[in-house]
Amino acid sequence: MNKKGKKSAGFWLCISLIICLISCIGASMIQTNFGKVTVKDLRFETESGHQMSALLLKPDTATAENPAPAIICSHGWYNNREMQDLNYVEYARRGYVVLSMDMYGHGNSDNLPAGDWWKSENNANGMYDAVKMMATLPYVDKEKIGVTGHSNGALASRTAVLLDNEAEKPLIEAALLVSNDAVYKGEDGAYFNMFGDRDAGIVACQYDEFFHRTYNEDGSHTAPRDFLKQPNAQSFLHFGEDPEGLESRKAETIYKEDIEGKEAARVIYNPNITHPWAHFSKRVVDSSVQFFEDALGAPNPINGSDQIWQIKVVFNALGLVGFIMFVVSFAKVLLKTSCFSSLRAEEEVLPLPALSGREKTWFWVSSILGAVFSFVVYMFGYSVIAKLVGGIAPQSGPAFIGIWAALCGVFSLFLLWVGRKFTKAPSRTEENGVKISAKKLGLTILLALIVAVSAYGLVFLADYLFKTDFRIWVVALKAFNANMIPYILLYLPLFLVYYIPNSICINSYNYFELGKKPWINTCVNAMFNILPSVVMVIIMYGCFFISGYLPNEFVPFFGGSIIGIWLYPVIVILAVAAVVSRKLYRATKNPYLAGIIMAVLVAIMSCTNTLTQM
């Protein structure tokens, strides 16, 4: 305790570690079904000649004497194997052997040259390789193997089925495509049944940003929410027949027909959600559990609405909270050591008096200008930036987000310069921490790296001891291979150019009395950090939900399908950045420390949760 009765940094450091431990234990208990499922982290050489990373979940009831049905599941583009936790948790507790794979170019699987993912020799980007491996396990029923995946994981499942069609002994018994389409027509343009006598299902989200459209000759297309009315959907439900003149079939109904002497099933689930929401949806899990129970038979049948993966989400999210608490408290603890004590402020940095006159006006004007600039560059700059870096960037997501962030960082420095001219305010660079000696800057960089590396050390411990990580939906901190370090170093400068100026603006110039409570100023700065992203999401999805079409269908160059999804984690990260930078600034009067820490953490997070192409 200090003199004011506040808890010490050491106390909060201990609390953060306890929270992270609770997160790991809780998530592990759910993931292992309270000890009834064994979770293994696999690295194996596939038939395609590449290393695959996967999580294997084996229920205790699956033995060589009593082999169980198996399901291989895959994430989508720019994700990794842990993104399928809602599915593999629920499948495994129902008795299925489950393999959640990292597709090639993702997670800890081998990276491939651009465009090589779907070559036949790479076996559906690893999906069919995984199927073949599962068929060798003694505790797997080789007659009951299913495949499923989200988005491009569904494409991998679909491609695996096409490869299986050519196999001497087919291995896949059932396929569920989540947020992607089947192949409805053959090369001759006629409808056909690509799944043959297998059971097949599609989860067609009504507001899918990419799929479930019928394209016309003029390039226009139907809205995904009208998918069930389209011939493609009806042909699928009629087992590949031309649907003209046939009865209209409905969603959520399993239709069965005899195909070459074997009963096969078709079903389309049509939830009222977006593309990414499909891997965070109780309804989708309910549908997938229902589908595979009908197709493969569940060794331990449990009603589809009985789900526990949400509890794992709570524990994983708790780990994120503990992680951020660790970053702040550990930095403050290190500030008390002899090595870094010179970086500590003599006393807690308090806000400046409330602004008035031109300074007050410029705060609001510059904040709005920064938000508008961020909005315009993101929404209208994507097509330009994508063309510039698309062919050379090994990771397109971090490249675009990093360039956008860097441009915003440079613009914020420009606004500071204009503000000096407009307000005629004194420089104050020494008293607000902007001016810093070379020695202090060197110590700041060292401290920031120690904090960031130590924080990620918790993530690796969680992975090593519990096979868990810290995440919620699209915000994820995961362990990674050393081959990711060059990519992190490649994109780190872009994030430094944003997060350091952002911390300078928030703390050295915009930290003043605003309202009766100190936290109001922090909240306002955090609000302006996330405002452009929030507005963009509202515009994009407001238009989508009202009209059935994304706004780029009406306004050329206005955003795109994927960049709306990329905004989800950005909103969380930018809000956290404002809070973390303020807390560390109050202890140091040093805006660079938090900026460097956040840049390193975001670079690692961005580069280890995306697609990498050589």
Side-chain angles (χ1 to χ4, degrees):
M1 294 281 238
N2 61 23
K3 293 180 180 179
K4 295 183 179 180
K6 294 182 179 179
K7 299 292 192 297
S8 67
F11 171 85
W12 290 113
L13 178 62
C14 292
I15 293 297
S16 71
L17 293 173
I18 291 171
I19 289 174
C20 289
L21 182 60
I22 292 172
S23 166
C24 294
I25 294 173
S28 178
M29 287 177 64
I30 300 301
Q31 186 166 271
T32 62
N33 196 21
F34 304 96
K36 299 174 185 176
V37 172
T38 301
V39 180
K40 295 182 179 180
D41 188 350
L42 302 186
R43 302 286 192 279
F44 59 96
E45 191 79 2
T46 66
E47 188 175 287
S48 298
H50 308 297
Q51 176 182 272
M52 175 170 285
S53 161
L55 288 175
L56 177 68
L57 289 85
K58 175 185 172 294
D60 291 347
T61 53
T63 63
E65 296 74 28
N66 184 36
I71 302 172
I72 297 93
C73 54
S74 174
H75 57 85
W77 238 218
Y78 308 110
N79 295 137
N80 50 61
R81 64 190 190 181
E82 288 83 7
M83 190 65 81
Q84 282 287 307
D85 62 352
L86 76 169
N87 290 317
Y88 63 65
V89 164
E90 296 303 332
Y91 296 154
R93 67 188 284 249
R94 286 165 173 80
Y96 300 103
V97 179
V98 189
L99 189 82
S100 183
M101 56 178 278
D102 278 329
M103 284 194 292
Y104 299 138
H106 297 79
N108 296 319
S109 289
D110 278 353
N111 300 325
L112 300 181
D116 280 7
W117 305 291
W118 305 114
K119 288 185 176 179
S120 58
E121 60 265 28
N122 292 321
N123 276 327
N125 206 27
M127 172 61 82
Y128 202 43
D129 284 328
V131 170
K132 293 176 180 178
M133 191 282 291
M134 286 287 270
T136 67
L137 299 180
Y139 45 82
V140 166
D141 185 340
K142 297 163 184 58
E143 303 298 320
K144 295 183 177 181
I145 296 178
V147 294
T148 185
H150 174 263
S151 190
N152 271 292
L155 173 57
S157 301
R158 183 184 85 191
T159 306
V161 168
L162 294 173
L163 292 172
D164 200 46
N165 287 341
E166 301 172 3
E168 183 177 342
K169 180 174 174 51
L171 298 172
I172 299 173
E173 178 68 14
L176 178 66
L177 312 183
V178 181
S179 296
N180 208 320
D181 285 294
V183 178
Y184 306 107
K185 295 181 178 181
E187 293 181 0
D188 59 358
Y191 289 104
F192 83 117
N193 176 16
M194 69 160 286
F195 294 99
D197 60 7
R198 300 176 185 85
D199 291 337
I202 297 174
V203 176
C205 302
Q206 294 185 35
Y207 296 95
D208 194 293
E209 291 91 333
F210 307 98
F211 304 109
H212 315 306
R213 294 155 167 81
T214 299
Y215 287 85
N216 304 312
E217 292 183 0
D218 62 359
S220 63
H221 61 78
T222 59
R225 64 188 181 191
D226 297 326
F227 177 63
L228 262 295
K229 303 175 185 176
Q230 305 308 315
N232 285 343
Q234 290 300 313
S235 174
F236 173 80
L237 291 176
H238 282 281
F239 296 79
E241 295 293 323
D242 188 327
E244 187 174 354
L246 299 179
E247 65 169 341
S248 178
R249 291 188 167 177
K250 302 177 181 179
E252 320 298 330
T253 302
I254 297 178
Y255 295 95
K256 297 190 176 183
E257 288 188 12
D258 185 276
I259 304 294
E260 297 180 357
K262 180 181 175 183
E263 185 179 66
R266 297 291 182 271
V267 61
I268 293 178
Y269 303 102
N270 198 212
N272 186 26
I273 58 175
T274 64
H275 180 90
W277 197 256
H279 51 56
F280 203 70
S281 165
K282 179 178 181 179
R283 180 177 171 185
V284 171
V285 172
D286 189 352
S287 299
S288 64
V289 165
Q290 172 189 324
F291 171 80
F292 281 114
E293 182 171 342
D294 183 81
L296 304 177
N300 179 32
I302 301 174
N303 188 283
S305 62
D306 183 347
Q307 302 174 20
I308 63 172
W309 65 271
Q310 297 93 336
I311 303 174
K312 180 178 182 292
V313 169
V314 172
F315 280 115
N316 285 146
L318 190 63
L320 283 175
V321 174
F323 180 90
I324 298 302
M325 288 178 60
F326 176 88
V327 168
V328 175
S329 57
F330 187 54
K332 288 184 176 181
V333 166
L334 291 180
L335 286 169
K336 295 181 180 180
T337 64
S338 57
C339 180
F340 298 108
S341 60
S342 61
L343 297 179
R344 191 171 73 245
E346 295 181 3
E347 56 184 7
E348 183 177 330
V349 180
L350 298 176
L352 295 172
L355 300 182
S356 60
R358 289 192 169 196
E359 287 186 281
K360 181 178 180 180
T361 300
W362 183 247
F363 166 73
W364 294 106
V365 170
S366 62
S367 297
I368 294 171
L369 288 175
V372 171
F373 180 85
S374 176
F375 178 96
V376 171
V377 171
Y378 193 92
M379 296 307 295
F380 293 96
Y382 173 69
S383 58
V384 176
I385 295 172
K387 287 180 181 178
L388 289 175
V389 303
I392 58 175
Q395 296 180 329
S396 59
F400 170 65
I401 297 295
I403 292 172
W404 167 58
L407 291 173
C408 291
V410 171
F411 187 70
S412 65
L413 293 178
F414 170 73
L415 290 177
L416 288 180
W417 178 79
V418 173
R420 284 278 312 281
K421 302 292 184 182
F422 174 74
T423 63
K424 298 181 170 44
S427 172
R428 296 198 295 261
T429 55
E430 283 197 36
E431 60 184 278
N432 63 17
V434 173
K435 187 175 181 179
I436 188 173
S437 67
K439 180 181 178 181
K440 279 194 172 184
L441 180 60
L443 284 174
T444 298
I445 295 171
L446 178 61
L447 177 57
L449 291 176
I450 291 174
V451 170
V453 170
S454 299
Y456 252 91
L458 295 178
V459 178
F460 279 88
L461 279 174
D463 176 74
Y464 181 76
L465 297 175
F466 300 97
K467 291 292 169 276
T468 63
D469 56 19
F470 307 139
R471 67 176 54 235
I472 181 169
W473 196 22
V474 291
V475 180
L477 304 171
K478 71 180 301 293
F480 56 91
N481 287 343
N483 67 340
M484 284 290 106
I485 294 176
Y487 302 109
I488 295 167
L489 295 177
L490 175 64
Y491 294 111
L492 177 59
L494 295 174
F495 292 106
L496 286 169
V497 174
Y498 173 76
Y499 283 99
I500 291 175
N502 183 254
S503 182
I504 290 173
C505 290
I506 287 175
N507 298 300
S508 300
Y509 294 96
N510 293 345
Y511 184 28
F512 55 87
E513 292 178 356
L514 184 64
K516 297 181 179 180
K517 302 290 184 180
W519 55 262
I520 294 178
N521 179 277
T522 304
C523 288
V524 169
N525 280 281
M527 180 197 72
F528 276 112
N529 258 11
I530 68 174
L531 182 61
S533 302
V534 171
V535 171
M536 284 186 273
V537 167
I538 291 173
I539 290 175
M540 291 184 71
Y541 288 96
C543 177
F544 201 9
F545 291 138
I546 292 171
S547 69
Y549 298 88
L550 287 164
N552 59 310
E553 298 289 334
F554 307 105
V555 182
F557 309 113
F558 188 89
S561 301
I562 189 64
I563 65 172
I565 296 171
W566 286 345
L567 286 171
Y568 299 159
V570 168
I571 292 171
V572 177
I573 291 168
L574 293 184
V576 169
V579 175
V580 169
S581 67
R582 176 58 54 79
K583 286 186 173 296
L584 292 181
Y585 182 77
R586 290 172 63 179
T588 62
K589 195 182 283 188
N590 180 339
Y592 302 97
L593 178 60
I596 297 171
I597 290 174
M598 286 303 304
V600 173
L601 295 179
V602 173
I604 295 173
M605 180 180 176
S606 301
C607 294
T608 57
N609 285 285
T610 192
L611 164 67
T612 304
Q613 56 188 16
M614 295 188 298

